[in-house]
């Protein structure tokens, strides 16, 4: 149980284009989903927290107009990187938290590797 | 002081040995603790959660929690080369609703 999927697993795009990444909890309902970014040999960096049906909460320094997050249902959250530039190239990872019964465990998706040319 | 601290390593152990990974945290009110494993180029994978003082065993893994000392550890028995990865300690913050991660300890198991 507790499987989280991400799509696509890898994307290469041209500078200036927008890229959408989907995160789905496959066998549970996620009250909260999280989006992380990780550069090579660096720690996970939390970008934003999203709750179903409400606006995402962004971490300090993360541009909310550039990284659009939508948590449309209890099983789906999307991250759109708008007008992507080479410096946005990174490993984007989502996680989902069931939240029911006080379970604070986060389950991670497999990640999406974004390369902006 | 960082909220969650781990020795970055690398920690090198021979195959078959016990690997001991340590983590300290600053928020005395923390109640939920997690260990994740992250292979190079992959996303984190949950190994264990622990909520009560004492030991919790799952196969070759044992998590230990001491809330008085604000200390969490992970023991890996009979270490295998496939255990070579970065191990992340995470503490749930009730104040923020987020997991606070340590920087991770890199484990190398040598055949």
């Amino acid at each position: 149980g507790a499987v989280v999927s991400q799509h696509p697993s890898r994307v290469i795009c041209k500078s200036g284009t927008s890229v959408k990444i989907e995160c789905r909890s496959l066998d549970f309902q996620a009250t909260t989903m999280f989006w992380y970014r990780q550069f090579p040999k660096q720690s996970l960096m939390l970008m934003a927290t999203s709750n179903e049906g409400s606006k995402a909460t962004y971490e300090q320094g993360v541009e909310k107009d550039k990284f659009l997050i939508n948590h449309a249902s209890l099983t789906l959250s999307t991250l759109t990187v708008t007008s992507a530039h080479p410096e946005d190239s990174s490993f984007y990872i989502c996680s989902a938290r069931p939240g029911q019964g006080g379970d604070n465990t986060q389950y991670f998706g497999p990640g999406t590797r974004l390369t902006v040319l | 002081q960082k909220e969650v601290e781990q020795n970055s390593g690398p920690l090198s152990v021979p195959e078959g040995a016990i690997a001991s990974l340590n983590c300290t945290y600053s928020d005395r009110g923390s109640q939920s603790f997690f260990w994740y494993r992250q292979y190079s180029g992959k996303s984190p994978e949950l190994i264990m959660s622990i909520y009560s003082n004492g030991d919790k065993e799952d196969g070759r893994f044992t998590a230990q929690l001491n809330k008085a000392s604000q200390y969490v550890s992970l023991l890996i028995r009979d270490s295998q080369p496939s255990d070579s990865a970065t191990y992340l300690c995470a503490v749930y913050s009730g104040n923020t609703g987020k997991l606070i991660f340590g920087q991770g300890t890199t484990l190398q198991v040598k055949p």
Side-chain angles (χ1 to χ4, degrees), chain A residues 45-111:
Chain A
M45 188 192 82
L46 179 65
M47 299 175 67
T49 302
S50 73
N51 292 291
E52 184 262 341
S54 52
K55 288 185 179 180
T57 302
Y58 291 81
E59 295 299 299
Q60 192 170 10
V62 177
E63 300 174 59
K64 61 180 181 181
D65 294 331
K66 181 170 184 63
F67 299 100
L68 302 179
I69 292 171
N70 183 276
H71 193 158
S73 75
L74 285 171
T75 59
L76 173 65
S77 177
T78 60
L79 167 68
T80 301
V81 183
T82 62
S83 187
H85 291 284
E87 58 266 30
D88 298 322
S89 298
S90 188
F91 191 40
Y92 292 85
I93 312 170
C94 73
S95 71
R97 182 170 73 202
Q100 290 88 359
D103 183 1
N104 299 312
T105 308
Q106 283 187 30
Y107 300 94
F108 284 86

Side-chain angles (χ1 to χ4, degrees), chain A residues 6 32 34 36 38 42-44 46 49 57 59 91 93 97 102-111 113, chain B residues 31-32 34 36 38-46 49 51 88 92-93 96-104:
Chain A
Q6 266 184 259
T32 309
F34 304 84
Y36 295 81
Q38 189 174 38
Q42 293 189 21
S43 302
L44 288 171
L46 179 65
T49 302
T57 302
E59 295 299 299
F91 191 40
I93 312 170
R97 182 170 73 202
D103 183 1
N104 299 312
T105 308
Q106 283 187 30
Y107 300 94
F108 284 86
R113 195 163 302 281
Chain B
Q31 298 294 323
S32 305
F34 306 88
Y36 290 86
Q38 187 174 24
Y39 291 111
S40 180
K42 303 294 185 182
S43 69
E45 170 192 12
L46 179 69
S49 58
Y51 306 98
L88 301 169
Y92 176 73
S93 167
T96 63
K98 304 172 191 174
L99 282 185
I100 309 300
F101 286 89
Q103 63 183 83

Side-chain angles (χ1 to χ4, degrees), chain B residues 53-107:
Chain B
N53 279 327
D55 295 359
K56 180 181 179 182
E57 186 174 318
D58 184 359
R60 294 187 297 113
F61 299 97
T62 299
Q64 299 175 318
L65 174 61
N66 184 325
K67 291 183 181 179
S69 299
Q70 296 174 244
Y71 177 91
V72 190
S73 66
L74 180 70
L75 300 178
I76 306 174
R77 289 182 299 282
D78 189 23
S79 295
Q80 301 296 310
S82 58
D83 294 327
S84 299
T86 297
Y87 289 80
L88 301 169
C89 171
V91 179
Y92 176 73
S93 167
N95 291 333
T96 63
K98 304 172 191 174
L99 282 185
I100 309 300
F101 286 89
Q103 63 183 83
T105 298
T106 299
L107 173 66

